[in-house]
Amino acid sequence: MVLRMIIGLGLTVIAFAVAGRRLWWLKRLAFSGQPAPERVAYAREHVGKDVGTQLTEVIGQRKLLRWSLPGAAHAATFWGFIVLLLTIIEAYGDLFSRTFAIPGIGHWAFIGFIEDLFSVGVLAGIITFTVIRLRNDPHREGRASRFFGSHTTAAWVVLGMIFLVIATLLLYRGAQQNTGVFPYPHAWAFASWVVGKALSPLGSGVNSVLEATFIVLQLAVILGFLVIVTYSKHLHIALAPLNVLFSRRPNALGPLEPMRSNGKVLDFEEADPDADVFGLGKIEDFTWKGMLDLGTCTECGRCQSQCPAWVTGKPLSPKQVILDLRDHAFAKAPWILAASDEERQQLPEHVRAEAERPLVAALDAGGVIDPDVLWSCTNCGACVEECPVDIEHIDHIDGMRRHQVLIESAFPTEAATMLKNLENKANPWGMAEDKRADWITELDFDVPVVDGKIGADVEYLFWVGCAGALEDRAKKATKAIAELLHTAGVKFAVLGPMEACTGDPARRLGNEFVFSMLAQQNIETLNDAGVRKIVASCPHCFNTIAREYPQLGGNYEVIHHTQLLARLVAEGRLKPQTPVEEKLTYHDPCFLGRHNRVFTPPREILEAVPGIQAQEMHRCKERGFCCGAGGARMWLEERIGKRINTERIEEALALDPDTVSTACPYCMVMLGDAVNAKKASGEAKQSLEVIDVAQLLVRSVRSGSGSSRGEETGAQAG
Ligand code: SF4
Ligand code: SF4
């Protein structure tokens, strides 16, 4: 009895000392990052929601359970370990008294049953994990495995440790049943009872030894597990609740964070190049929340498996970005945490070499993140959507882009023209401002252009967007939306030449300076005109005006055209009547769907059009697959791997549709280009078209035979 007490308590002291030292070191490293007072403020403001978030995300395992089998296995293991905290208390109690029982509940049959039930649940969970890992072996499956690039050896060690936790637990409980000190009615603790039956022939003397041995081994394994957790990816067990608590609300999709330096939003006019932080130029520029993200990654690879860049053979994996940053932060930590330059000079050569590594540079030049990785991101949000521990990949990627653009002037050369056009002409193509109103002259009704104040009878300002005003295919959607609003009797006006690019391409590229210049110009125009309600046709404009302009003081009621049109149909103000007999599939634009949760209105419009047979692609709604244009990728060459728009259109072609519909001018251009390439190679029928849902609706709303295919629509030139 005394010996087991000494061993048990001795191991506890050692394990807590080792784990505590590591946790202290991790805490110092995290807080070497930039302050993030807004995260603490968010958490405070949302205390009620925080409890709900913890209940659904952490306890409820919401995101994990989307992946049915691995999610169920993880939930069983997680919930099992919560319940098994009771058995840890019992094991410690048994060090002092063989007949220990938890005060109050220690003899309840139900507790014995539930402990055994979850022990078996954890065993089932780790068997499932083993099968999943064997079937997704990255050595065999290569990039197709979501575990490609993860530290798989550590994962196997942890699975082995979890098995030992359960094995030693059931063995000591089984032995206890034979020595007469088991606290619960035997048959209720069914798994321990089965093990007890198997050990029973050994006699009570041997069972006493087994009981003592396995109690000590149980504690040794748990304490070993505690230490391993603090040194491995299983740190997420401790950090995930914190990371979820301090994550952005409702998630890190939609708006980008404003640029912050030393915890304050950066004002370009007052910024000090020597004292302020411009984006993420070194690992210490990450905030403590950013550092927490790095430490929380579970290496599950869910983000990687959904990333369009990774899926199409590009070097970007959101998981690998997080792991590379984490490995770099850990390797550079002694340098970061050193008290003085003198101390830094005493550090081993490999630490000083790590400190010298540029955050973004070619890998053979020592970079942590290769530029091809950084510039491959489409900001589609699939990684953020999937991540079970709420890591904010896009903020980190675009934070690094900001530093590259603003300080290093290092970005793909083809983006320079787009930025110059934005600065000089306020649109990415560099077209003359007055061209923005040309589409109006092609209509047979009048569209008022705001001149001074917006008319008192005007309900909506129609934000057309650069593509909608200047790009031929997108212009057809613009005219269809205008016609539908006119038909429904909605009073609307446009800014015409006064409308400037929202700044989205500049911001997503990392040029916060050009973004804020354009955003301020637009906010001034909108405020001077007295605009309150805006309908936007481009999801990028919609996201920027609705969710990013408030960062600069521009607050408007903004909806997307599909939301307004769906409402007009529901109210009977638009009556789809002419059948459109077509097989169709709808592509979710990332900035409408995943970033802003507008999934239903476009589908409601399609459902209202008689004759349409809509089929969903495999990757749709929250799991929609990008067209390849977001994150300013529309303006960059796609030189590596398969084209993302080709991958997407092949998925659509598998359904043999007559039409691919969408609700975004970027998607129309990207998917239209992919369709044209497929037509040229004979892989798609010549009649296949890519059009906006508004164009389909206008065909059906027009009386008589409606408009023929391609008349008003964005039909692709065959
Ligand atoms: S935002 Fe999209 S493209 Fe960028 S890393 Fe995440 S999943 Fe990949
Ligand atoms: S970033 Fe999130 S989704 Fe990706 S591997 Fe890490 S924990 Fe999994």
Side-chain angles (χ1 to χ4, degrees), residues 43 271 461 563 657 704:
L461 179 90
Q563 294 174 296

Side-chain angles (χ1 to χ4, degrees), residues 141-194:
E141 302 288 319
R143 285 173 64 105
S145 166
R146 67 183 167 99
F147 301 116
F148 186 88
S150 300
H151 298 99
T152 47
T153 309
W156 285 116
V157 168
V158 167
L159 279 184
M161 294 292 286
I162 296 174
F163 172 76
L164 289 176
V165 169
I166 302 301
T168 52
L169 175 73
L170 292 178
L171 282 164
Y172 94 71
R173 283 162 72 93
Q176 278 184 327
Q177 295 216 356
N178 296 326
T179 57
V181 296
F182 192 62
Y184 304 105
H186 288 190
W188 279 81
F190 62 94
S192 308
W193 180 79
V194 170

Side-chain angles (χ1 to χ4, degrees), residues 146 150 236 293 296-304 318-320 322-323 383 386-391 393:
R146 67 183 167 99
S150 300
H236 76 265
D293 268 6
T296 308
C297 178
T298 70
E299 305 187 22
C300 68
R302 284 170 170 80
C303 55
Q304 177 173 289
K319 172 184 76 179
Q320 205 57 54
I322 299 297
L323 297 189
C383 48
E386 288 300 329
C387 184
V389 291
D390 286 358
I391 288 171
H393 314 71

Side-chain angles (χ1 to χ4, degrees), residues 219-359:
L219 288 175
V221 173
I222 287 170
L223 292 166
F225 189 53
L226 172 73
V227 172
I228 287 178
V229 160
T230 61
Y231 280 85
S232 71
K233 77 179 185 94
H234 279 73
L235 196 56
H236 76 265
I237 294 171
L239 298 188
L242 286 177
N243 211 48
V244 171
L245 177 67
F246 293 112
S247 62
R248 281 215 261 148
R249 298 286 186 277
N251 54 33
L253 295 170
L256 276 183
E257 288 263 70
M259 260 179 88
R260 291 194 171 88
S261 170
N262 301 311
K264 294 195 189 113
V265 174
L266 193 69
D267 179 339
F268 280 103
E269 285 178 16
E270 292 176 6
D272 176 351
D274 296 324
D276 279 311
V277 172
F278 290 81
L280 304 172
K282 53 187 185 305
I283 200 74
E284 302 93 300
D285 293 341
F286 283 68
T287 64
W288 59 260
K289 172 61 178 66
M291 294 277 197
L292 193 60
D293 268 6
L294 307 185
T296 308
C297 178
T298 70
E299 305 187 22
C300 68
R302 284 170 170 80
C303 55
Q304 177 173 289
S305 70
Q306 303 299 310
C307 173
W310 180 259
V311 167
T312 55
K314 296 169 181 60
L316 165 64
S317 149
K319 172 184 76 179
Q320 205 57 54
V321 167
I322 299 297
L323 297 189
D324 288 345
L325 291 169
R326 178 174 78 190
D327 291 348
H328 173 61
F330 283 175
K332 192 178 175 183
W335 192 91
I336 297 170
L337 299 177
S340 64
D341 280 345
E342 238 171 48
E343 199 178 306
R344 287 188 176 129
Q345 294 318 313
Q346 309 301 320
L347 291 168
E349 170 59 30
H350 69 273
V351 176
R352 283 185 283 132
E354 189 72 34
E356 294 292 317
R357 290 179 72 191
L359 195 65

